[in-house]
Amino acid sequence: MPRIPVTRVRLWSAAAVALVIAATAGTLIVASGRGAHSARTSGDGLRHTAVEVSRSHCGRGWTDPAPGTQVFDFHNPTDGAAEVYLEDPETGAVYGEVEGIGPGTTRHLTVRVGKGAYAFKCVPDDADAVTGPTVRVRSGRRGPAAVPVTQHDLIPPSIAYQKWVGSGLGTLAKQTARLRDDIDRGDLGAARADWLTAHLQYERLGAAYDAFGEADAAINGTDAGLAGGVHDKHFTGFHRVEYGLWHGESARDLRAPAAALLTSVTTLRGDWSQTRMDPAQLGLRAHEIVENTIQFELTGRTDYGSGSNLATARANLDGSREVLDRLHPILTTRYPELADLERELDRARSLVGGFRHNGRWTPLDGLSRAQRERTDAVFGDLAERLASVATLCDPRRTA
């Protein structure tokens, strides 16, 4: 699938916040917003507390702690941007966070406060973090919190995933060579079957696309933005071969595109041992894979004749599962909804797998309206849940 250039999903992104809210139903951080907001004129019915975000007076303003869901109005009186966390000063677990509080601006955090100790950590740009005074709430049920993930925490799962990708690229190279050989000998029936096998193998490696760099466009790019469309000389890779196989091109015409695809795959496999994935991106990729599936596969935008978008969607889900399996040790102590997420992922895989009959995949236009609606709903829910994983696995600055 084409890769969406998505930035890290953090709580200061309005879209990400909406996803986290829907996915967790209050599991980690309830909300953050933008703009000035006066406690006296608020119509939300919640208690508002003005809190200063600065190195000299971090957390000043919270002098009358009370339990319950409430809003902290963070004001930054300094001349530089800052972020702020509400955390447990003993464990470092974070109840809520807001980034990008610009000079002279106010932003808000809604969180449930209960019995326990709290402190605000102010993290100015280009300056050391400062922790404000500890505030104790004497009663009530606290909202959930999670200990921040560090870059160090993410290195072992990232290395494990990178090794798995390396093995997958070896398999991909063999499958792509088989596809090239089918075309070279003129067996286009075998080529269609082997094209799907190889393409699905590539799609399962989705969390590594960013590290693949320009090789991804050469291997799995589309004709989007090309002046000549599907006939443009720069249209290459799996989809170029797909177009030819399902639009009546001869084996002779397909030999060069198939050979170029194999060369790109072989080069990527050879270069992979020298490539380093960014550990900080691993949690985001699990979410991004499903987002891309919704945008490209479930809309048919990447169908060049094979009608295999649902097969690709299933392969994408397999790719997300591979990421989650390696992040499991990190998530199991931080994400209470992990078991539910894994069940929903299995549900989605089962649903899509049910569209394969007698070895053939149902094309998108072969689904009934009810099937389409159910598929869209399942993937939408899964994307929302995976947004929480992206948020939890985004390393935070703590010093």
Side-chain angles (χ1 to χ4, degrees), residues 52 54-55 57-60 85 87 89 118-122 129-135:
E52 183 173 325
S54 67
R55 296 190 73 245
H57 295 103
C58 180
R60 184 169 69 174
Y85 307 146
E87 64 180 22
Y118 300 85
F120 291 107
K121 175 173 284 185
C122 301
V130 175
T131 301
T134 296
V135 174

Side-chain angles (χ1 to χ4, degrees), residues 203-227:
E203 290 286 344
R204 293 186 184 96
L205 309 179
Y209 289 172
D210 190 61
F212 289 168
E214 293 181 1
D216 178 52
I219 293 171
N220 208 36
T222 69
D223 68 326
L226 298 179

Side-chain angles (χ1 to χ4, degrees), residues 352-381:
V352 178
F355 298 134
R356 186 171 186 260
H357 304 283
N358 300 320
R360 297 178 63 86
W361 286 89
T362 303
L364 283 174
D365 59 10
L367 297 182
S368 68
R369 179 174 179 177
Q371 288 173 324
R372 281 302 304 261
E373 290 176 348
R374 186 183 178 200
T375 301
D376 290 344
V378 167
F379 272 82
D381 177 72

